[in-house]
Amino acid sequence: MPTGELTALIVSLKLRLLRPRDRVGTILMILIIGGSVLTGIAAVVAIAGLRLTESRDTILSLGFTALGLSWIGITVVLSGGEGTLDPTRFAPFPIRTRQLVAGLLAAAFLGAPALMTGVAAMATVTHATSLIEAFLLVMAAGTTTVTAVLSGRVANASMSRLVRGRRTREVAGGIAILIGLTVGSAAPVLGDVTSTMTIGHLDSIRRFSRFVPWGWGPEAIGRAAVGDVGGAALFL
């Protein structure tokens, strides 16, 4: 089967999984779409509003780095799996690895989380003051989105392989509840700590975060947003 046809087949399978099957599913889908649209509008407005902020490069860099890392954290906690993204299900078929990877990559970007990540990243183009800056911001936004989504899908596949048995799922559910309770109880303390942080503290974190894979694209976004074309190109 040609690569194009296989990719279209895998994407259609993913769309079937996303399609609601009953009234409750339809309502949930409407809520998800509505919430995604509102979230996207809020993200665009918030990111565009940073144009007048002096330290917008640091805020954008750290913000999108945290967004990329959150894809892994949320996936590990939820430990879910999607059939169309599990390569082992295609093992009985005579499909080349290169063809399968193309289809799985295309299917990975279907869904509200990936769409909202892309919309938020592309909203940084509002900070461009020249054509070259706009081009670099588009490239950096694409890199950031791809890195985030693929990181989440790799973590998803890994957790799906680990969380198969009933006992393992129960343990994973207990760990997820424990993490949720810990984060909830620590929220007031974290709020006090973050409220005392200055741009200097954030710059110190940025010096480290820009050298991890999830920080390359966001660092390029931050630099291009303030007109540092050479620095942005370096991190792409």
Side-chain angles (χ1 to χ4, degrees):
M1 179 182 293
T3 302
E5 293 183 7
L6 179 62
T7 300
L9 174 62
I10 296 177
V11 169
S12 66
L13 291 175
K14 177 65 178 289
L15 291 174
R16 288 185 182 181
L17 287 179
L18 295 175
R19 187 183 304 167
R21 299 180 181 179
D22 51 26
R23 183 176 299 178
V24 176
T26 302
I27 295 175
L28 289 176
M29 181 62 68
I30 294 174
L31 292 176
I32 291 173
I33 294 176
S36 299
V37 172
L38 293 177
T39 301
I41 294 175
V44 171
V45 172
I47 292 172
L50 291 174
R51 286 179 297 178
L52 302 179
T53 304
E54 183 177 356
S55 55
R56 62 185 181 276
D57 55 337
T58 298
I59 296 174
L60 290 173
S61 178
L62 291 181
F64 281 103
T65 300
L67 178 61
L69 290 172
S70 70
W71 271 81
I72 299 178
I74 293 175
T75 302
V76 170
V77 171
L78 296 179
S79 61
E82 296 175 349
T84 56
L85 300 179
D86 186 0
T88 60
R89 295 180 180 270
F90 295 89
F93 305 100
I95 300 175
R96 289 182 295 180
T97 303
R98 188 173 300 177
Q99 291 179 306
L100 184 59
V101 168
L104 295 176
L105 287 179
F109 290 91
L110 295 178
L115 179 60
M116 289 302 98
T117 300
V119 169
M122 288 298 175
T124 58
V125 179
T126 57
H127 290 254
T129 57
S130 65
L131 186 60
I132 184 62
E133 290 179 12
F135 173 76
L136 288 173
L137 284 170
V138 169
M139 295 295 295
T143 301
T144 300
T145 304
V146 170
T147 303
V149 174
L150 293 186
S151 297
R153 295 315 179 189
V154 169
N156 197 344
S158 301
M159 291 304 298
S160 296
R161 184 166 297 182
L162 291 175
V163 186
R164 284 184 176 177
R166 178 180 178 182
R167 182 64 58 85
T168 309
R169 287 196 298 266
E170 291 176 351
V171 172
I175 294 175
I177 294 174
L178 180 61
I179 292 175
L181 292 175
T182 302
V183 173
S185 61
V189 178
L190 292 175
D192 293 337
V193 172
T194 54
S195 64
T196 60
M197 295 184 68
T198 63
I199 293 299
H201 294 122
L202 296 179
D203 285 333
S204 299
I205 299 174
R206 180 185 174 189
R207 292 190 189 99
F208 168 77
S209 66
R210 63 189 177 187
F211 292 112
V212 299
W214 298 272
W216 297 340
E219 180 66 18
I221 289 177
R223 289 176 178 265
V226 294
D228 185 3
V229 174
L234 181 64
F235 280 92
L236 283 177

